[in-house]
């Protein structure tokens, strides 16, 4: 059995993100991916059993990395609104600076592969945000509605903000970030 080289794994993951960005998930062809990375198909299968394993593993890695950052930056001593804003800004910067990863996450969520993502990963992905929303509802600072509705509004504004910044219609600066977060806050506050 071949030993795994972290550099090759990173190259496979990065090329996968490039392919999904350019062609979507359906564009991933394992033999073509191996050729694009400069490895043999048999070497690719040392890292990932198949396309499903590749997609699930890459999704899981991205989510776990972002959740670690979110948890490390979650300052419980801050007021609710500032904690929410801090989390929103973290995801805004992630979306702008890692647009291929963000696009990959969104495509996986809309694909049949999403049911293959382990429940634990899906729960971890939403756990911190749901806890924060529940806290806000308990404190009476945000609307007491289903979390899915809050998430829909927050995600929609986040996604559109990322698109505006990437298309250069909006600059990524404190003034614009504050303005866009104010739309989030106005939509969910009591």
């Amino acid at each position: 059995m071949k030993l795994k080289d972290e550099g090759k794994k990173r190259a496979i993951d990065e090329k996968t993100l490039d392919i999904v960005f350019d062609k979507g998930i359906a564009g991933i062809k394992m033999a073509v991916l191996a050729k694009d990375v400069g490895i043999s198909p048999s070497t690719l299968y040392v890292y990932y059993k198949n396309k499903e394993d590749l997609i699930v593993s890459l999704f899981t890695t991205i989510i776990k990395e972002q959740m670690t950052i979110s948890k490390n930056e979650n300052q419980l001593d801050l007021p609710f609104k500032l904690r929410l804003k801090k989390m929103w800004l973290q995801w805004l910067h992630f979306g702008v600076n890692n647009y291929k990863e963000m696009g990959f996450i969104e495509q996986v969520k809309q694909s049949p592969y999403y049911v293959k993502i382990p429940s634990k990963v899906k729960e971890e992905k939403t756990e911190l945000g749901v806890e924060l929303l529940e806290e806000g509802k308990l404190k009476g600072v945000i609307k007491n509605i289903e979390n899915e509705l809050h998430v829909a509004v927050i995600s929609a504004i986040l996604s559109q903000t990322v698109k505006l910044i990437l298309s250069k219609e909006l600059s990524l600066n404190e003034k614009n970030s504050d303005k866009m977060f104010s739309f989030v806050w106005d939509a969910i506050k009591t």
Side-chain angles (χ1 to χ4, degrees):
M1 181 172 176
K2 293 182 181 178
L3 293 176
K4 294 182 181 180
D5 173 340
E6 204 46 47
K8 282 183 186 173
K9 182 182 180 313
R10 194 171 27 259
I12 293 165
D13 292 350
E14 287 173 7
K15 183 50 80 174
T16 300
L17 292 171
D18 290 342
I19 291 168
V20 172
F21 182 75
D22 291 337
K23 301 176 182 176
I25 289 176
I28 301 171
K29 309 290 184 227
M30 297 299 273
V32 174
L33 174 60
K35 182 179 177 198
D36 288 350
V37 174
I39 59 176
S40 70
S42 63
T43 300
L44 176 59
Y45 289 110
V46 167
Y47 295 87
Y48 298 105
K49 294 185 293 191
N50 51 39
K51 180 177 174 177
E52 178 183 303
D53 182 40
L54 168 64
I55 291 169
V56 170
S57 296
L58 184 53
F59 183 95
T60 300
T61 298
I62 293 168
I63 292 301
K64 285 187 174 199
E65 287 172 359
Q66 288 309 302
M67 291 304 97
T68 299
I69 292 168
S70 291
K71 287 176 183 176
N72 289 340
E73 292 188 4
N74 187 19
Q75 296 174 325
L76 298 174
D77 58 330
L78 291 177
F80 173 82
K81 182 178 177 182
L82 289 178
R83 286 176 53 216
L84 180 66
K85 182 178 182 181
K86 193 171 171 94
M87 186 180 294
W88 188 83
L89 288 171
Q90 179 217 326
W91 279 99
L92 173 65
H93 285 272
F94 172 74
V96 170
N97 297 319
N98 304 292
Y99 58 90
K100 289 180 183 177
E101 288 88 341
M102 188 71 124
F104 176 79
I105 290 169
E106 292 306 314
Q107 285 196 40
V108 171
K109 285 169 48 179
Q110 301 302 318
S111 78
Y113 293 103
Y114 194 62
V115 299
K116 305 292 185 178
I117 304 296
S119 298
K120 184 177 180 183
V121 173
K122 291 177 189 177
E123 289 164 10
E124 185 177 352
K125 179 181 174 293
T126 60
E127 181 179 36
L128 191 59
V130 168
E131 287 174 6
L132 191 57
L133 292 173
E134 287 300 324
E135 177 186 326
K137 289 191 281 187
L138 277 172
K139 290 181 175 180
V141 294
I142 64 172
K143 293 175 177 75
N144 190 12
I145 59 174
E146 296 85 354
N147 289 330
E148 293 80 10
L149 297 176
H150 281 301
V151 171
V153 168
I154 294 167
S155 298
I157 296 171
L158 176 66
S159 176
Q160 289 305 313
T161 302
V162 168
K163 287 178 186 175
L164 288 169
I165 292 168
L166 291 176
S167 68
K168 309 250 187 276
E169 295 175 59
L170 188 70
S171 297
L172 179 57
N173 57 43
E174 188 174 350
K175 179 183 173 191
N176 287 335
S177 297
D178 288 347
K179 184 187 324 177
M180 297 310 286
F181 180 76
S182 73
F183 291 128
V184 170
W185 186 248
D186 288 345
I188 68 171
K189 72 180 179 183
T190 52

